[in-house]
Amino acid sequence: MAVLGVPQAASSPPPPMTTVDIPAEVAEQPDPHLSAVPRTKAERARIAAVIRPTTDFTRAEEYEVRPGGAATTMKQVNRDIFSQSSANMPFESELDFKVGNGLFRKIWVSSPSSTRASDGLGPLFNARSCQSCHIKDGRGHPPAGEDDDRVSIFLRLSVPPRTDELKAAIAAHLLTVVPEPSYGGQLQDLAVQGVPAEGRMEIGYREMAVALSDGEMASLRVPTYSIDDPGYGPLDPEVMLSPRVAPAMIGLGLLEAVPARDILANADPNDADGDGISGRPNFAFSPEFQRVMLGRFGWKAGTPTVRQQSADAFAGDMGISNVLHPAGYGECTEAQMACRDAPDGADADDRDGFEIDGPGLDLVTFYSRNLAVPARRDADDPTVLRGKQVFNDTGCIACHTPKFVTARLTDRPEQSFQLIWPYSDLLLHDMGPGLADGRPEGAANGSEWRTAPLWGIGLTATVDEPAHFLHDGRARSLLEAVLWHGGEAEAQKQAVMTMPKPDRDALIRFLESL
């Protein structure tokens, strides 16, 4: 029996905030995670010229075939294309990448176990390895049927802040959400022996027909989410659900290396330029650096660094304790005492008292930072170039910013001073009621999402077929993903729906080339 059914956009999301207060430590101080050399005035002018959008669609731009700069992998396209290391990685770093890959793929087991280096799973968990969610280092997917697993998709859970103290903490970016009191921040549908799982996510779909120009029709899947068999009593009556598929892992280190100031320069919370696009930054407290930082990662940009993203996933998805999440019982709440009392895998003698020690977390972080972006295909194909012009002329680049230049770094040669093409501004945008989850996260309200980077998107099906897109995998094609756009992107969606079919086909062909 479903105890909670939440169709998308069932609740009215709050209106977008029209102002943004940038914390002083973000606006005025250097990025603490980057050992960056300050840019000269001449460099800033040079960068501004390089990242200016093109107006020539007769040929590919210089360096466009290398979207990850010198880190771009030029290896043959196959199912392993998202698992390649930065092409400019020094030889002496290859071992760290391979060991990090091993930890990323490791299957964790419950405690106590004779395999002490791999025990500590759970007690509640969503997956037994990082690779289980990020399939071949690509994106996850919703279950294909009733018998398919739900390993690479899960439900975020939270409740509204109900006290002045919690409201103040969120306003100050010290918290991004208030976890559900009994179930925590996400629904974990698996558990070790002797501990009840939290429940089972159920997904239902209905089809919605969409008429396009030239007699073409499309069909969109409208999802509904619910929780069956809750293991720890009723959920809070005001609980908010948000489904999330695991995103692709490529290019994370390059996105992390973009100076915060460059990202903030594209923010336009009051739509001062009148183009209908109001990109806003998200911010989050970093336990690693003990300060508020710009959010870059996650579907709502709620996490500031790759290391924190890795640590959060170890704790939340697998119940693996680490230096940023020291509790051996993972996400178990005070309402889940059987979970808290279960054995854990912390061993003070060989793992710093954590289930994955500091060096292990650093190796996974290094691996995650250096999963290379694949080279572009067919960048100078006439149809692709026409699609690129349609993409630009339609206004898609207002959110999907084509280019950045990363900081000049002293300790990360792979990411240092690279011209990159992520096609994302890493800012929040109101995507309208169709995609709204009604669940705020930090500065993001219930209808806002971070602009998804598009690099590598055309290889999604190559890595894990069939392809699924958007935050919950509802879109079965790139066209469906475009047709779900609304809010700030409503005008662009309408333009795609009404443009001549050859232009629409060229646009999709361009996206497939990324």
Side-chain angles (χ1 to χ4, degrees):
M1 173 180 173
V3 298
L4 185 64
V6 182
Q8 294 302 96
S11 59
S12 298
M17 297 173 63
T18 56
T19 60
V20 58
D21 295 320
I22 299 175
E25 57 265 48
V26 177
E28 300 169 7
Q29 300 177 23
D31 298 310
H33 64 294
L34 301 178
S35 300
V37 177
R39 289 173 175 172
T40 66
K41 183 177 180 180
E43 278 184 337
R44 291 197 297 271
R46 176 183 163 204
I47 289 169
V50 167
I51 66 173
R52 188 174 298 122
T54 187
T55 57
D56 180 4
F57 300 100
T58 63
R59 58 184 177 179
E61 295 175 69
E62 190 173 14
Y63 309 122
E64 189 173 3
V65 296
R66 293 180 179 267
T72 303
T73 179
M74 308 300 289
K75 292 193 174 181
Q76 180 180 357
V77 171
N78 56 34
R79 282 203 69 200
D80 295 319
I81 191 59
F82 284 176
S83 301
Q84 306 304 317
S85 61
S86 300
N88 58 346
M89 179 182 291
F91 176 76
E92 57 269 21
S93 298
E94 286 287 348
L95 180 58
D96 286 345
F97 182 83
K98 289 180 170 61
V99 176
N101 181 22
L103 290 169
F104 194 83
R105 296 167 62 91
K106 176 193 277 194
I107 304 297
W108 293 84
V109 298
S110 59
S111 300
S113 170
S114 59
T115 56
R116 292 173 57 192
S118 299
D119 69 343
L121 180 69
L124 297 171
F125 60 98
N126 292 103
R128 290 178 166 83
S129 72
C130 306
Q131 187 80 207
S132 298
C133 294
H134 301 277
I135 301 163
K136 304 291 282 185
D137 300 298
R139 64 184 63 214
H141 56 76
E146 184 63 28
D147 296 330
D148 195 11
D149 64 52
R150 287 149 174 76
V151 170
S152 60
I153 181 172
F154 63 85
L155 287 173
R156 292 279 191 210
L157 308 174
S158 60
V159 297
R162 293 168 180 147
T163 67
D164 291 341
E165 182 181 12
L166 288 173
K167 292 175 183 177
I170 289 177
H173 312 296
L174 302 178
L175 287 177
T176 54
V177 298
V178 179
E180 203 281 341
S182 297
Y183 289 82
Q186 66 191 60
L187 183 76
Q188 288 143 334
D189 56 358
L190 299 172
V192 301
Q193 187 173 3
V195 176
E198 290 188 322
R200 176 180 170 88
M201 173 177 59
E202 296 293 345
I203 310 174
Y205 294 106
R206 66 176 175 84
E207 295 288 336
M208 179 175 67
V210 179
L212 308 176
S213 61
D214 297 343
E216 186 176 8
M217 294 293 297
S219 184
L220 305 183
R221 293 194 301 178
V222 183
T224 302
Y225 298 94
S226 61
I227 298 174
D228 265 6
D229 302 322
Y232 297 88
L235 284 88
D236 188 285
E238 293 188 276
V239 67
M240 296 174 284
L241 310 184
S242 187
R244 305 291 172 85
V245 296
M249 297 287 294
I250 58 172
L252 298 185
L254 294 167
L255 296 178
E256 188 180 40
V258 176
R261 186 167 299 178
D262 292 2
I263 297 169
L264 294 173
N266 290 326
D268 185 18
N270 297 311
D271 191 19
D273 60 7
D275 65 353
I277 307 298
S278 305
R280 300 193 309 115
N282 206 351
F283 303 100
F285 180 77
S286 166
E288 183 180 1
F289 294 99
Q290 290 294 299
R291 54 173 275 189
V292 174
M293 294 175 61
L294 176 70
R296 300 167 187 255
F297 303 108
W299 288 102
K300 295 206 176 195
T303 307
T305 67
V306 175
R307 189 168 187 260
Q308 184 174 331
Q309 184 84 346
S310 301
D312 291 353
F314 268 114
D317 299 347
M318 295 179 286
I320 301 298
S321 62
N322 55 75
V323 65
L324 298 185
H325 297 278
Y329 50 73
E331 263 228 326
C332 301
T333 69
E334 293 181 0
Q336 300 168 329
M337 292 311 298
C339 176
R340 288 199 169 198
D341 291 341
D344 63 54
D347 190 324
D349 294 332
D350 59 11
R351 282 189 280 178
D352 301 341
F354 306 117
E355 290 162 333
I356 184 168
D357 60 13
L361 179 61
D362 290 342
L363 286 164
V364 172
T365 301
F366 181 80
Y367 173 74
S368 301
R369 281 183 180 141
N370 282 286
L371 285 163
V373 180
R376 282 282 305 281
R377 286 91 45 222
D378 305 322
D380 56 358
D381 178 89
T383 303
V384 169
L385 289 168
R386 174 58 187 155
K388 180 181 176 182
Q389 183 172 7
V390 172
F391 187 86
N392 284 35
D393 291 350
T394 305
C396 302
I397 62 170
C399 300
H400 291 283
T401 303
K403 293 174 276 187
F404 284 100
V405 173
T406 62
R408 193 185 294 279
L409 304 176
T410 60
D411 59 343
R412 301 185 197 173
E414 302 87 356
Q415 289 84 41
S416 179
F417 210 57
Q418 300 298 318
L419 171 62
I420 63 173
W421 306 67
Y423 283 92
S424 171
D425 59 8
L426 300 180
L427 297 173
L428 301 171
H429 294 276
D430 184 342
M431 296 301 292
L435 287 178
D437 63 354
R439 179 182 180 271
E441 183 177 330
N445 68 35
S447 61
E448 288 180 313
W449 301 92
R450 182 198 70 160
T451 305
L454 297 181
W455 52 13
I457 198 166
L459 294 170
T460 301
T462 300
V463 174
D464 183 38
E465 189 176 13
H468 296 275
F469 304 98
L470 301 177
H471 67 282
D472 55 0
R474 69 177 70 182
R476 297 158 293 190
S477 69
L478 290 170
L479 178 59
E480 285 186 33
V482 171
L483 295 177
W484 272 109
H485 284 50
E488 294 177 41
E490 180 67 27
Q492 287 72 29
K493 178 186 72 177
Q494 292 296 329
V496 171
M497 292 172 63
T498 58
M499 67 178 52
K501 187 177 186 304
D503 285 351
R504 188 163 53 243
D505 292 343
L507 172 65
I508 299 303
R509 182 71 186 86
F510 165 69
L511 295 175
E512 291 171 345
S513 77
L514 295 179

